[in-house]
Amino acid sequence: MNYPPVPEVPEIARHFIQAVSRSVRAESPYVHWKLTDVLPEAVCTGILTLPIAPPMLGETDGTRDTYNDQRTFFTPSLRSKFPTCAALAEALQLPEVARLMAETCDIEAAGSYLRMEYIQDTDGAWLQPHHDIPEKLFSMVIYLLTGPDAKDWGTDIYDADRRWIGRSSGEFNSGVIFVPGPATWHGFDPRPIIGVRRLMEINYVKPVWRDRDQLAFPDRPIALA
């Protein structure tokens, strides 16, 4: 018996589409969309039970690039090993999902590539204030945070002068979408992490993306039909 059971790809896509369709758009401090109940519960469980140990990091400079070799992307190899990863990637690659993301975010999704990362932060991890590069057509975070301190592990948000102005809730299976731009400052200020801070980052990236080994389908660009 395989545990947990993996929903069919169309079911995952329908659930995700419903979450994006009922998302709440906010204008401040930059345009973003807030989502709840993003993924089916079985998909969340499947990700949380992946037999992948969190990276053991020493001192970092507040960027994820300093430990690229320890990051977990939904690559063809990972998809071949874990059915949950395969099904979720296939769902987010579907034209109906791509059309919705293109309409919601007002982006040219056709010809881009799906990039998905499973992040497991442990104590000592932090991210300096930054805004995502324009090669990412949209950035999405899905929070899979658990434990008594998870309420304090949301993303920190800053204004154009990099002053801290708030923090996302990090509610389990909630998400945030934004289109990268010069005002989209965010990060993760240093604070204790007792346990593991788990989340997903999902992007459509432009064809010029250099790190092809990070892509879910490096030979299959996003299609809208």
Side-chain angles (χ1 to χ4, degrees), residues 28-75:
S28 178
Y30 44 82
V31 175
H32 61 283
W33 294 262
K34 300 177 182 179
L35 300 83
T36 58
D37 191 25
V38 183
L39 302 174
E41 183 178 345
V43 172
C44 296
T45 303
I47 295 171
L48 292 175
T49 56
L50 289 172
I52 299 173
M56 295 295 104
L57 306 178
E59 185 175 348
T60 73
D61 64 356
T63 70
R64 298 201 185 278
D65 289 344
T66 55
Y67 54 95
N68 272 342
D69 59 339
Q70 298 187 63
R71 298 167 72 180
T72 301
F73 293 98
F74 279 34
T75 61

Side-chain angles (χ1 to χ4, degrees), residues 143-147 150 153-154 169-173 196-199:
Y143 296 102
L144 299 174
L145 311 180
T146 61
W153 294 347
S169 71
E171 179 184 353
F172 185 81
N173 202 18
V196 183
R197 177 180 182 257
R198 295 183 172 92
L199 58 154

Side-chain angles (χ1 to χ4, degrees), residues 29-30 129 156-167 183 185-186 189:
Y30 44 82
D156 291 300
I157 308 299
Y158 315 91
D159 65 14
D161 295 319
R162 306 191 204 183
R163 293 176 299 202
W164 188 92
I165 58 173
R167 179 176 296 161
W185 292 98
H186 60 285
D189 287 352

Side-chain angles (χ1 to χ4, degrees), residues 116-147:
M116 307 172 68
E117 182 178 8
Y118 176 41
I119 298 169
Q120 299 185 87
D121 289 333
T122 54
D123 197 43
W126 67 288
L127 285 175
Q128 63 183 353
H130 65 284
H131 55 77
D132 287 357
I133 58 178
E135 285 75 17
K136 296 180 179 178
L137 294 176
F138 76 82
S139 291
M140 178 178 189
V141 174
I142 302 174
Y143 296 102
L144 299 174
L145 311 180
T146 61

Side-chain angles (χ1 to χ4, degrees), residues 2-121:
N2 290 326
Y3 180 83
V6 182
E8 297 293 330
V9 169
E11 179 184 345
I12 299 172
R14 282 194 299 270
H15 194 110
F16 182 84
I17 286 171
Q18 289 173 358
V20 175
S21 298
R22 64 172 181 264
S23 63
V24 177
R25 174 172 167 145
E27 305 292 330
S28 178
Y30 44 82
V31 175
H32 61 283
W33 294 262
K34 300 177 182 179
L35 300 83
T36 58
D37 191 25
V38 183
L39 302 174
E41 183 178 345
V43 172
C44 296
T45 303
I47 295 171
L48 292 175
T49 56
L50 289 172
I52 299 173
M56 295 295 104
L57 306 178
E59 185 175 348
T60 73
D61 64 356
T63 70
R64 298 201 185 278
D65 289 344
T66 55
Y67 54 95
N68 272 342
D69 59 339
Q70 298 187 63
R71 298 167 72 180
T72 301
F73 293 98
F74 279 34
T75 61
S77 175
L78 193 79
R79 291 190 293 106
S80 70
K81 294 177 182 177
F82 303 116
T84 297
C85 299
L88 178 56
E90 289 287 354
L92 299 188
Q93 182 80 6
L94 289 175
E96 53 264 45
V97 172
R99 288 195 299 270
L100 178 61
M101 298 308 298
E103 293 166 2
T104 300
C105 300
D106 191 22
I107 57 173
E108 295 290 341
S112 64
Y113 290 85
L114 177 62
R115 177 179 181 267
M116 307 172 68
E117 182 178 8
Y118 176 41
I119 298 169
Q120 299 185 87
D121 289 333

